[in-house]
Amino acid sequence: MSSLLPAGTPHAVLDVPMDSWPEGSEVVHLAAGCFWGVERFFWQLPGVVTTSVGYMGGTDPHPTYESVCRGTTGHAETVQVVFDPARTRIDEVLKVFWENHDPTQGDRQGNDVGTQYRSAVFCTTDHQVAVARATAAAMQEQLTAAGYGPITTEIVPPEQLGEYHLAEEYHQQYLHKNPDGYCMHGPNGLSCPVGLVALPAQTDVLPPQG
């Protein structure tokens, strides 16, 4: 992880560091459009240890908000979600992800257009990859029945993960600091049928802390 913030910078809502967490925590990175609105869904989720926003999936080793918004770095606006797997499961985290954006829009989310707004799941374990694929298939059935096209979400395996770059301080927990700030995210009106589909058992090892 690289960072534009001092080490140990606290989460404005959860009052814990954004760049370290207890041993045994699990990490997943989710891109679903403007990261301001996306992050808020996850810091409210029971079992989540900490969240942050940043940039992932690009080639520039030192991305900034301005360079990412120019569309030249290939990064997606991404939320890092750290959760306690004893309190919540990866499928429950992904349920929130699938139900709160349109994963069929390619390089856009509503009026926000550009590669930085694409939908992606950056997985840190092989188990996350398997669950992401299973929940995507289940969600596709719901989307197709509602008249949507195919899911365009990237599901990126650990071996292709790349680096997560923690974004500038003013982006972190933006909607907590700016309650009337811009947010175009909300429920898409569909339900990802977690609990009704067979999911793979967890057989891989959790990633190390940090």
Side-chain angles (χ1 to χ4, degrees), residues 57-128:
T59 56
D60 188 333
H62 304 291
T64 64
Y65 186 66
E66 289 73 20
S67 66
V68 170
C69 285
R70 286 196 294 269
T72 58
T73 72
H75 288 88
E77 293 192 15
T78 303
V79 177
Q80 178 173 266
V81 181
V82 183
F83 62 98
D84 179 353
R87 296 180 58 204
T88 192
R89 303 186 309 269
I90 183 60
D91 58 307
E92 294 171 324
V93 174
L94 290 172
K95 177 179 174 67
V96 174
F97 169 78
W98 292 120
E99 292 181 355
N100 286 283
H101 78 297
D102 182 349
T104 70
Q105 292 193 338
D107 289 341
R108 68 178 301 160
Q109 198 60 212
N111 293 326
D112 294 332
V113 180
T115 56
Q116 71 269 34
Y117 299 118
R118 69 189 185 272
S119 175
V121 181
F122 298 99
C123 303
T124 61
T125 69
D126 291 337
H127 179 249
Q128 288 182 4

Side-chain angles (χ1 to χ4, degrees), residues 10-17 39 42-45 48-51 82 173 176:
H11 193 286
V13 178
L14 302 176
D15 196 27
V16 295
E39 186 188 15
F42 294 102
W43 79 54
Q44 300 179 80
L45 188 64
V48 165
V49 176
T50 192
T51 63
V82 183
Q173 299 85 60
H176 171 74

Side-chain angles (χ1 to χ4, degrees), residues 122-152:
F122 298 99
C123 303
T124 61
T125 69
D126 291 337
H127 179 249
Q128 288 182 4
V129 175
V131 174
R133 290 173 177 167
T135 55
M139 191 64 183
Q140 183 65 72
E141 294 182 8
Q142 305 300 311
L143 289 161
T144 300
Y148 289 81
I151 287 174
T152 60

Side-chain angles (χ1 to χ4, degrees), residues 141-164:
E141 294 182 8
Q142 305 300 311
L143 289 161
T144 300
Y148 289 81
I151 287 174
T152 60
T153 304
E154 302 172 37
I155 297 176
V156 182
E159 61 270 19
Q160 298 175 18
L161 198 58
E163 189 168 14
Y164 172 71

